[in-house]
């Protein structure tokens, strides 16, 4: 089972790898730069090399990097959009230091522009950033539908993918808190939700899972993550999620409100409930 959590990137790749292993993780996520955007730390070649060797020895196959929260490819403000485009391009360059990994981002918030314009702007930005030679897969995250978020349902993600030229460079990250808050009943009808995902987007695009409980009921559009088993999704449903045949081999990233010891406990709880 590939499971891990968000880690601090302040000490570099090798330290993230070691931290992951220390809490029983075999994958992890990190912000490519400060979650609020801004400049990124320089990547050190020897750190990356040491990390890649360490990852191989410790069975870490995929990392799921996360773009800063402020990255908004469909902002109503053209300056914000330009800034986001630049960050996307720069982050994708940086991702190539660790080949064949995932880079996840929030599609964006369209402001008052409307979903259709938002979808156009996001896909245009992707078309100018994605390169045939890149090894990174860029993941669109399923969103809770807070405010004017794009990606509030499977159809909106499909509409973006439809417009992306290099479709083999794109995938989806399924955030359990977000889809639940977005109105998909993964508690009572997980099979149905995933069938719907397959019909609208296609399971071949499903690359990673953000595994979170939710502080709010179905369809609340709130996006407040809870610890595993303590929210409205509940442990029983989360155990069904990690064992589901369409999800069980994907990397699971915890984004629950925890410190490292809390993550270690959740990882061991989930491992002990993963059917081999
Ligand atoms: Fe996210
Ligand atoms: Fe998430
Ligand atoms: Zn969230």
């Amino acid at each position: 089972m590939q499971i891990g959590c968000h880690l601090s990137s302040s000490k570099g790749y090798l330290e993230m790898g070691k931290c992951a292993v220390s809490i029983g993780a075999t994958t992890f996520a990190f912000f490519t730069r400060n979650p609020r955007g801004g400049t990124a730390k320089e990547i050190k070649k020897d750190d990356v090399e040491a990390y890649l060797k360490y990852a191989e020895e410790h069975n870490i196959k995929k990392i799921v990097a996360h773009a800063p929260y402020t990255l908004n490819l469909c902002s109503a403000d053209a300056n914000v959009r330009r800034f986001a485009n630049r960050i996307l391009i720069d982050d994708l360059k940086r991702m190539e230091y660790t080949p064949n990994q995932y880079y996840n981002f929030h599609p964006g918030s369209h402001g008052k522009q409307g979903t259709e314009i938002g979808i156009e702007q996001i896909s245009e930005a992707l078309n100018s950033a994605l390169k045939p030679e890149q090894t990174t897969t860029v993941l669109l995250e399923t969103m809770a539908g807070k405010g004017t978020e794009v990606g509030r349902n499977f159809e909106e993600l499909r509409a973006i993918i439809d417009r992306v030229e290099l479709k083999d460079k794109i995938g989806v990250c399924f955030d359990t808190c977000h889809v639940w808050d977005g109105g998909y009943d993964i508690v009572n009808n997980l099979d149905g939700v995933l069938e719907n995902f397959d019909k609208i987007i296609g399971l071949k695009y499903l690359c990673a899972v953000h595994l979170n409980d939710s502080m709010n009921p179905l369809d609340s559009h709130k996006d407040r993550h809870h610890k595993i088993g303590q929210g409205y999704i509940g442990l029983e449903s989360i155990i069904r999620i990690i064992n589901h045949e369409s999800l069980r081999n994907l990397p699971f990233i915890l984004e629950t409100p925890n410190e490292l010891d809390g993550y270690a406990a959740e990882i061991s709880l989930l491992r002990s409930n993963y059917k081999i």
Side-chain angles (χ1 to χ4, degrees):
M1 174 186 205
Q2 296 181 75
I3 183 162
C5 62
H6 260 271
L7 296 176
S8 160
S9 62
S10 64
K11 291 185 186 143
Y13 285 93
L14 181 59
E15 281 306 310
M16 285 194 281
K18 286 182 176 171
C19 182
V21 168
S22 78
I23 56 170
T26 43
T27 178
F28 59 90
F30 65 98
F31 286 107
T32 51
R33 58 189 76 218
N34 181 309
R36 293 169 58 216
T39 48
K41 259 187 46 189
E42 188 206 337
I43 294 179
K44 300 207 173 66
K45 258 202 151 150
D46 42 340
D47 176 42
V48 174
E49 267 165 38
Y51 164 74
L52 290 174
K53 185 162 173 278
Y54 185 86
E56 172 138 24
E57 287 164 3
H58 292 84
N59 206 23
I60 300 174
K61 295 195 185 78
K62 285 289 179 193
I63 50 182
V64 189
H66 200 303
Y69 285 141
T70 48
L71 184 111
N72 187 0
L73 298 175
C74 62
S75 169
D77 180 336
N79 283 323
V80 174
R81 238 166 31 232
R82 264 193 294 274
F83 181 66
N85 281 294
R86 255 199 356 251
I87 286 189
L88 175 64
I89 288 168
D90 187 50
D91 274 356
L92 290 182
K93 269 191 207 131
R94 295 161 59 84
M95 286 300 297
E96 291 301 311
Y97 281 87
T98 53
N100 303 305
Q101 305 298 323
Y102 294 137
Y103 175 82
N104 169 77
F105 78 107
H106 297 179
S109 291
H110 62 70
K112 290 191 173 107
Q113 305 191 92
T115 309
E116 261 171 58
I117 289 179
I119 287 169
E120 282 300 332
Q121 290 173 341
I122 295 160
S123 34
E124 268 170 39
L126 287 167
N127 282 334
S128 65
L130 299 178
K131 299 281 175 260
E133 64 273 19
Q134 81 180 49
T135 65
T136 305
T137 306
V138 175
L139 307 185
L140 300 158
E141 183 166 348
T142 59
M143 300 310 291
K146 200 173 47 174
T148 63
E149 276 173 353
V150 178
R152 59 197 296 126
N153 55 44
F154 300 158
E155 284 80 2
E156 291 185 8
L157 295 180
R158 177 73 237 183
I160 297 169
I161 295 171
D162 275 340
R163 289 164 175 76
V164 169
E165 287 151 18
L166 298 174
K167 291 189 172 40
D168 60 324
K169 307 298 179 194
I170 197 109
V172 173
C173 175
F174 187 96
D175 185 308
T176 55
C177 169
H178 297 176
V179 293
W180 169 258
D181 283 23
Y184 292 99
D185 192 351
I186 53 177
V187 170
N188 297 300
N189 190 17
L190 180 61
D191 281 338
V193 171
L194 290 167
E195 272 163 33
N196 189 236
F197 185 101
D198 192 30
K199 205 176 78 200
I200 308 289
I201 301 177
L203 284 170
K204 68 169 185 177
Y205 286 104
L206 185 49
C207 293
V209 177
H210 282 171
L211 194 63
N212 304 306
D213 212 324
S214 173
M215 290 198 180
N216 292 288
L218 181 69
D219 210 17
S220 59
H221 304 289
K222 286 274 193 345
D223 189 7
R224 294 200 54 211
H225 303 187
H226 210 332
K227 293 181 182 173
I228 297 301
Q230 296 189 24
Y232 278 85
I233 298 175
L235 184 60
E236 209 184 297
S237 302
I238 286 172
I239 291 172
R240 266 201 304 275
I241 289 167
I242 59 172
N243 286 294
H244 194 282
E245 59 174 346
S246 301
L247 305 173
R248 57 180 288 115
N249 294 316
L250 304 178
F252 293 101
I253 303 293
L254 296 161
E255 301 176 305
T256 48
N258 276 304
E259 301 298 327
L260 278 180
D261 55 342
Y263 282 129
E266 288 188 347
I267 289 169
S268 100
L269 171 70
L270 293 163
R271 282 196 190 284
S272 69
N273 282 288
Y274 185 73
K275 299 176 184 77
I276 300 163

